[in-house]
Amino acid sequence: MLERASAQSTERERLRLMFDQAPGFMALFEGPEHKIAIANHAFIQLVGRSDLIDRTITEALPDFAEQGLDDMLNGVARSGEAFIGHAMPLSVARADGSTEEILVDLVLQPVPGSNGEPSGVFVQGHNVTDDKSGEAVRKAHNKVLELAIGDSPLETTLGELIRIVEASSRTGMLGSILLLDQDGKHLRHGAAPSLPPSYMAAIDGAEIGPCAGSCGTAAYMGAAVFVSDIATDPLWADYKELALSHGLRACWSIPILTRGRKVLGTFAMYHREPREPTIRDLMLVDLVTQTAALVIDRERAHEALRHIATMAGPSPVSA
């Protein structure tokens, strides 16, 4: 008998570990108020907090309740039928005050009680944001290259590139590309489809240097500059009032370089709250700067050819 009890205990522990370490998120909501009875590690990571057990959804996850999860739990509990959703958008509040936009595949399954009526709802699913975003980025990247090959205006092509990143961002990122002037000392407007035009006009022609905001410093050093709080960073001493007046609080700038490491311009990611870059942000940066370098380099080569053609003038007509 003791051996049987020991075997059952071992099996329960094995099942508990499998549940907690499962790659998909899972949680059990019980009763009419949907108290969280259990939640695995993936669910805790998804929602960004661990103080969940024995709390109702409105207490533990008020932002999720406001987005309709409470209504979905009620619907499943009343009907006794499962709910399945694919690539559902969800806003998640993070500890640093930022909001992350994610996509989830979701299943809500009623759990029958002793009387046959649902006593709870089991929630499971996967975060599919990276899968969907990666697919969208690849398609949009091809579109950008098609625009460049089709000789679309440079601002149109670069603007489309920025929109790719903005659409893929989970944090409301605002992008801009500045081009290094031929004099090698000033930055000129390239594209910034979502930033205030008055802000972009004010920084158009700004001089680069060792303490010239994020973009001016990145272009001067030929290296990335990550400013997590514009209000306090000394690099923004001359520009912070301008940025803050437009609601811009963080700016990460990365130089756009040729293969020979010549600076062509900068790509900047602005945020409306102070924040540090994540691994995902840095992966998007690589895609943008490499593509932008190809597009800008191609445009400048065409400009040079047009200039040579103009200087040469029309071919003489033979007698």
Side-chain angles (χ1 to χ4, degrees):
M1 197 138 179
L2 288 174
E3 289 180 3
R4 187 175 182 184
S6 176
Q8 288 176 339
S9 176
T10 301
E11 181 65 14
R12 282 196 297 271
E13 179 61 18
R14 188 174 75 87
L15 290 173
R16 187 193 67 78
L17 287 173
M18 288 174 62
F19 171 83
D20 192 55
Q21 297 174 9
F25 59 82
M26 293 185 280
L28 176 61
F29 294 79
E30 292 184 329
E33 294 185 332
H34 309 305
K35 280 191 176 181
I36 302 172
I38 53 175
N40 73 345
H41 181 66
F43 187 87
I44 290 170
Q45 279 195 316
L46 178 83
V47 302
R49 58 187 304 175
S50 57
D51 54 336
L52 302 173
I53 306 305
D54 290 331
R55 303 181 69 190
T56 68
I57 184 172
T58 52
E59 292 171 340
L61 304 168
D63 49 335
F64 280 31
E66 290 173 4
Q67 294 175 74
L69 183 57
D70 196 18
D71 292 336
M72 286 189 281
L73 291 168
N74 285 330
V76 170
R78 280 196 305 268
S79 68
E81 297 182 359
F83 170 88
I84 300 174
H86 296 289
M88 297 183 63
L90 196 62
S91 297
V92 184
R94 295 307 183 195
D96 63 0
S98 64
T99 300
E100 185 176 0
E101 303 296 331
I102 64 174
L103 298 172
V104 295
D105 283 350
L106 192 63
V107 178
L108 280 68
Q109 181 73 41
V111 178
S114 57
N115 60 357
E117 295 294 319
S119 65
V121 178
F122 187 67
V123 176
Q124 60 181 311
H126 291 84
N127 186 339
V128 296
T129 310
D130 288 340
D131 296 340
K132 298 295 181 183
S133 295
E135 180 183 348
V137 166
R138 284 191 295 273
K139 288 181 178 177
H141 176 255
N142 290 337
K143 181 179 178 181
V144 168
L145 295 181
E146 288 172 7
L147 287 171
I149 294 170
D151 291 330
S152 292
L154 184 59
E155 183 172 1
T156 300
T157 306
L158 295 179
E160 187 64 32
L161 181 59
I162 290 170
R163 288 188 183 92
I164 296 172
V165 190
E166 291 178 340
S168 303
S169 170
R170 303 179 190 175
T171 56
M173 184 277 293
L174 305 172
S176 83
I177 290 178
L178 297 176
L179 306 175
L180 188 63
D181 202 336
Q182 297 293 346
D183 65 9
K185 296 180 180 179
H186 299 86
L187 290 171
R188 299 292 180 183
H189 174 71
S194 301
L195 282 165
S198 56
Y199 175 75
M200 296 310 299
I203 65 172
D204 187 27
E207 188 170 355
I208 68 174
C211 189
S214 298
C215 294
T217 307
Y220 179 81
M221 296 175 60
V225 173
F226 299 102
V227 171
S228 59
D229 191 349
I230 288 172
T232 59
D233 197 291
L235 291 181
W236 279 82
D238 295 337
Y239 298 95
K240 70 177 181 181
E241 296 304 328
L242 173 66
L244 296 177
S245 70
H246 286 86
L248 305 174
R249 290 298 308 274
C251 181
W252 319 326
S253 184
I254 302 87
I256 299 169
L257 306 170
T258 64
R259 288 187 178 180
R261 299 199 62 78
K262 177 184 176 183
V263 176
L264 295 170
T266 60
F267 167 61
M269 302 172 80
Y270 287 87
H271 286 85
R272 295 196 179 280
E273 67 280 328
R275 65 186 304 273
E276 299 282 349
T278 65
I279 295 295
R280 176 177 172 76
D281 294 323
L282 299 179
M283 289 172 63
L284 286 173
V285 160
D286 283 342
L287 171 70
V288 174
T289 53
Q290 290 171 19
T291 306
L294 289 172
V295 173
I296 297 168
D297 229 3
R298 184 177 187 278
E299 176 66 18
R300 292 199 167 169
H302 280 199
E303 284 180 0
L305 289 173
R306 287 193 292 267
H307 179 70
I308 292 171
T310 303
M311 293 292 289
S315 301
V317 179
S318 56

